[in-house]
């Protein structure tokens, strides 16, 4: 975010409001202080916690993690997780026409456990598309989470030949065992997902499907 703010005019990417995870107040200065100082008197700042949401254009956004006052010691654990539901209106047959996307940031550990609890409490089952957490790290996206959401498509965002070894083979096996179709940017480049004629269209780098 600091980099985006610094290159804003040059890149054409403007930040009109900054939304941060509503972690415990005593941790905010330590964890988020540099960012808050950079945007002071420049960009409005808000905080988001589980249960908060907004909608627009037939799309609903619901924050599932972190809960309010979540411990703020581990940045990955308090990564924002947001469920996006597109086109929830129903057809004449009573079936929903839309699809859903779960954005998981870098969440892992206690954060992923809390996310799973929220999904269960809200009785959120199958998710159409999962943005796999933490670039496909070994310890993210546990089997229990995959059993809960049964994603049709799992998208892993990671750099080609990255030094972390992402995505990890164990994670790829978990995704395969769950039945998800896996796409990773390190192999395909940018991925665009659309919902057309009752199904998903996945375009990689604008070439092929």
């Amino acid at each position: 975010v600091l980099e985006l703010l610094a290159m804003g005019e040059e890149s054409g990417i403007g930040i009109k409001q900054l939304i941060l995870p509503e972690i415990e107040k005593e941790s905010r200065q330590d964890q988020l202080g540099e960012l808050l100082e950079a945007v002071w008197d420049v960009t409005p700042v808000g905080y988001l916690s589980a249960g908060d949401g907004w909608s627009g254009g037939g799309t609903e956004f619901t924050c599932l993690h972190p809960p309010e006052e979540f411990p703020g010691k581990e940045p990955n654990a308090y990564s924002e997780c947001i469920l996006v539901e597109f086109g929830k209106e129903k057809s004449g047959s009573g079936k929903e026409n839309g699809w859903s996307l779960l954005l998981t940031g870098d969440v892992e550990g206690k954060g992923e456990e809390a996310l799973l609890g929220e999904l269960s409490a809200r009785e959120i089952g199958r998710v159409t598309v999962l943005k796999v957490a933490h670039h496909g790290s070994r310890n993210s996206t546990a089997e229990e989470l995959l059993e809960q959401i049964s994603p049709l498509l799992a998208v892993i965002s990671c750099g080609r030949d990255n030094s972390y070894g992402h995505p990890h083979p164990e994670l790829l096996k978990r995704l395969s065992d769950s039945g998800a179709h896996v796409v990773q940017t390190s192999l395909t480049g940018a991925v665009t997902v659309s919902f057309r004629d009752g199904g998903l269209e996945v375009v990689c780098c604008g070439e092929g499907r």
Side-chain angles (χ1 to χ4, degrees):
V1 176
L2 289 171
E3 186 175 354
L4 285 173
L5 288 167
M7 60 186 288
E9 289 187 10
E10 177 184 337
S11 66
I13 299 174
I15 299 177
K16 295 183 179 180
Q17 184 174 16
L18 185 63
I19 304 295
L20 299 174
E22 196 167 4
I23 58 174
E24 56 186 1
K25 292 182 176 63
E26 55 266 34
S27 297
R28 290 182 191 175
Q29 184 57 42
D30 180 50
Q31 295 290 323
L32 306 171
E34 183 181 7
L35 190 54
L36 291 169
E37 184 176 343
V39 300
W40 185 259
D41 285 339
V42 177
T43 303
V45 175
Y47 291 91
L48 200 63
S49 61
D52 293 337
W54 67 98
S55 62
T59 303
E60 294 186 8
F61 301 80
T62 304
C63 178
L64 299 178
H65 181 74
E68 189 174 352
E69 294 296 312
F70 187 79
K73 304 301 183 185
E74 298 292 336
N76 286 348
Y78 64 72
S79 279
E80 294 278 14
C81 298
I82 297 175
L83 178 67
V84 188
E85 297 173 282
F86 301 89
K88 290 191 69 178
E89 67 276 3
K90 295 184 178 181
S91 66
S93 64
K95 294 182 178 180
E96 291 189 356
N97 295 316
W99 59 290
S100 56
L101 163 66
L102 181 58
L103 301 169
T104 56
D106 282 347
V107 73
E108 60 183 8
K110 295 296 184 183
E112 190 171 284
E113 292 175 13
L115 169 62
L116 181 57
E118 188 71 14
L119 286 164
S120 299
R122 291 175 173 270
E123 297 183 342
I124 297 172
R126 181 154 195 154
V127 171
T128 318
V129 181
L130 169 67
K131 198 294 290 180
V132 176
H134 204 184
H135 315 289
S137 70
R138 178 180 184 177
N139 297 319
S140 67
T141 317
E143 183 178 349
E144 293 81 3
L145 178 64
L146 292 170
E147 289 177 353
Q148 176 72 26
I149 61 175
S150 300
L152 176 64
L153 173 67
V155 179
I156 302 173
S157 175
C158 59
R160 182 175 297 165
D161 299 323
N162 66 83
S163 60
Y164 299 97
H166 294 157
H168 196 277
E170 287 186 22
L171 178 277
L172 291 174
K173 184 178 187 305
R174 286 199 296 274
L175 291 172
S176 176
D177 290 346
S178 76
H181 180 79
V182 180
V183 178
Q184 55 190 80
T185 60
S186 57
L187 300 178
T188 67
V191 176
T192 301
V193 180
S194 304
F195 190 77
R196 301 180 187 277
D197 301 323
L200 289 181
E201 179 182 72
V202 181
V203 178
C204 302
C205 258
E207 301 176 0
R209 290 179 172 81

